[in-house]
Amino acid sequence: MKFIKYLLVGLLFGIVLTKSEAVSWYRIYEMFHFQSFHMFGIIGTAVVVGVIGLQIFKISNLKDIDGQPIILADKEKGFTRYLVGGLLFGLGWGLVGTCPGPIFILIGAGFWGIGVVLIGALVGTYLYGLLKNKLPH
Amino acid sequence: MTRILADLRGFQNQYNKLHSDIFGLSLIRVILIALCIMFTAFHLLLFLQQNKIIMDIFYGTWPWYVSGFLIGSVMLLLIYFGKTFGMSSNLRTMCTILGAGKTSDFFRFDWKAQRWNLAVVLGAMLGGFIAVTYLSDPTVPTVVLNPTTVTEVQQMHIDAPDGKLMPDALSSAEALKSPKVLAILLIGGLLVGFGTRYAGGCTSGHAITGLSNLQLPSLIAVIGFFIGGLLMSWILLPLILK
């Protein structure tokens, strides 16, 4: 089963985010009010590990599991979409305390009410698809 | 006899090849060995935990440096698998599966190429279930917040965590009967879905992957996340929950 490794990576992700309480509404509130280092520590450490790891990948010319060279596409240039889109996401994140990963994780953890957030997120994604060409990017 | 000798020689050649590979320490092997060590460590922890030796550490809040390291590793693993870490893309895939392609070009793409990401989602949901079911203990304190935070949220009629990940005021069966709570959850989700697609990523795609790859657009997006979050958390949230 070729998807099993992705399932296992997801499993690790779900456990870590739950046990570190990054999925908690309270932790997000605490983060935005600078009342704890916890969330900043998590994101900061992940980024430091990521920067070092990607540099090692680049320097060693590591091939991926299929033997293909590892190339990370640069993000498209732009300003408005990143700032405005980011701001809108931030408003939602601050309100319900869940970014997309935790939405799924919390539903798995038995918080059925977050299903309402998922419905909202799907509708939001759909609305973006409808309005995409009218929005400044 | 000669055939047996030839077989033995072939076996020795294979053995030598394996041997040199291990001591050549190609990076892939280093990573695999590191993963094996992590796997062993995980099981050791599980064993100790079952024997109630370090239960508190394992059942309690995992420290930020352990969690951050593991999340960074998840991202690197996915890149090693030839993919990229991004959870919000799954929302688009799900819209496509639900038939959104009928009304918008944005959803006309080969969603089957994204099945691996749906497997990650399924794994994450299972992970959430395992974490609360098997890796938690009511006697070990979790979600221990800054006391100021607890006082502040209580002033907004949000119950103190008491070990809960989500406040009852937003997620209990009782709260879900309130149209106001439903509206909060729906609008919050709407902003998350719309915002992440507009910005082209969320915490995993921009804050973790993008920043790790030193992408300026991701930095702009993360600054956006924080402006939005601060605005909500400091100004709008108290008005909404009052």
Side-chain angles (χ1 to χ4, degrees):
Chain A
M1 181 72 182
K2 62 178 176 171
F3 293 118
I4 199 88
K5 58 181 185 289
Y6 301 111
L7 191 87
L8 291 175
V9 169
L11 195 77
L12 176 68
F13 180 59
I15 292 176
V16 174
L17 253 70
T18 310
K19 288 314 294 174
S20 65
E21 294 160 9
V23 297
S24 169
W25 181 90
Y26 295 104
R27 289 287 180 199
I28 305 303
Y29 181 92
E30 202 184 35
M31 168 180 78
F32 283 130
H33 283 253
F34 306 102
Q35 287 159 343
S36 165
F37 178 71
H38 189 71
M39 286 303 301
F40 295 102
I42 292 175
I43 299 174
T45 311
V47 171
V48 169
V49 169
V51 170
I52 295 172
L54 288 184
Q55 289 307 315
I56 293 175
F57 281 11
K58 267 177 204 165
I59 292 165
S60 65
N61 276 323
L62 181 79
K63 301 276 188 287
D64 71 15
I65 203 162
D66 303 319
Q68 303 291 322
I70 291 176
I71 302 162
L72 252 92
D74 283 340
K75 304 269 181 200
E76 275 173 52
K77 296 246 178 308
F79 184 80
T80 318
R81 67 173 298 188
Y82 295 114
L83 194 71
V84 178
L87 197 146
L88 292 172
F89 164 55
L91 287 170
W93 195 17
L95 181 61
V96 288
T98 48
C99 34
I103 291 179
F104 299 115
I105 296 170
L106 282 169
I107 294 173
F111 293 90
W112 304 111
I114 304 303
V116 182
V117 181
L118 178 62
I119 294 169
L122 288 171
V123 174
T125 305
Y126 179 62
L127 282 179
Y128 171 75
L130 291 183
L131 300 172
K132 185 174 185 276
N133 297 328
K134 297 184 181 109
L135 294 168
H137 278 81
Chain B
M1 186 66 187
T2 43
R3 190 196 270 168
I4 295 173
L5 272 175
D7 276 356
L8 271 175
R9 210 165 288 138
F11 178 74
Q12 198 180 9
N13 280 344
Q14 269 183 345
Y15 176 79
N16 283 343
K17 205 172 146 200
L18 190 75
H19 206 66
S20 70
D21 269 353
I22 290 172
F23 289 100
L25 280 181
S26 70
L27 193 72
I28 295 168
R29 283 199 165 65
V30 174
I31 292 171
L32 284 177
I33 292 165
L35 280 175
C36 287
I37 293 169
M38 272 163 61
F39 187 75
T40 318
F42 178 77
H43 279 267
L44 189 69
L45 279 170
L46 211 62
F47 170 78
L48 291 172
Q49 172 261 111
Q50 275 163 354
N51 289 278
K52 312 220 177 281
I53 297 169
I54 52 161
M55 190 173 95
D56 283 20
I57 297 175
F58 201 69
Y59 281 171
T61 309
W62 289 11
W64 55 265
Y65 41 89
V66 175
S67 316
F69 176 81
L70 290 174
I71 294 169
S73 308
V74 161
M75 182 208 75
L76 292 174
L77 261 175
L78 285 175
I79 289 173
Y80 175 62
F81 291 156
K83 313 290 182 198
T84 47
F85 184 33
M87 295 304 287
S88 60
S89 315
N90 291 303
L91 296 169
R92 182 185 177 205
T93 311
M94 287 173 183
C95 281
T96 301
I97 295 173
L98 291 170
K102 284 176 201 143
T103 39
S104 165
D105 276 349
F106 182 64
F107 300 105
R108 266 171 234 150
F109 71 105
D110 177 25
W111 68 268
K112 287 191 173 168
Q114 283 286 315
R115 278 181 301 183
W116 67 270
N117 214 347
L118 296 176
V120 176
V121 168
L122 190 67
M125 294 176 78
L126 270 172
F129 172 76
I130 289 171
V132 295
T133 316
Y134 301 110
L135 305 176
S136 300
D137 186 303
T139 60
V140 180
T142 49
V143 202
V144 182
L145 304 175
N146 184 332
T148 321
T149 313
V150 179
T151 317
E152 280 183 22
V153 298
Q154 281 178 325
Q155 279 164 0
M156 299 189 299
H157 312 296
I158 298 279
D159 43 303
D162 268 332
K164 300 188 305 288
L165 290 168
M166 287 291 290
D168 284 339
L170 290 177
S171 67
S172 68
E174 195 57 39
L176 291 171
K177 287 178 190 156
S178 145
K180 185 181 166 182
V181 171
L182 285 176
I184 288 175
L185 295 176
L186 202 64
I187 291 168
L190 205 82
L191 287 163
V192 168
F194 189 89
T196 50
R197 219 58 276 125
Y198 195 4
C202 60
T203 329
S204 50
H206 276 310
I208 314 257
T209 313
L211 290 187
S212 292
N213 198 26
L214 312 173
Q215 297 291 306
L216 181 65
S218 294
L219 183 64
I220 301 170
V222 173
I223 291 170
F225 297 170
F226 265 84
I227 297 174
L230 292 173
L231 206 65
M232 176 55 72
S233 209
W234 286 83
I235 298 165
L236 300 174
L237 197 64
L239 295 174
I240 294 169
L241 293 175
K242 198 162 64 183

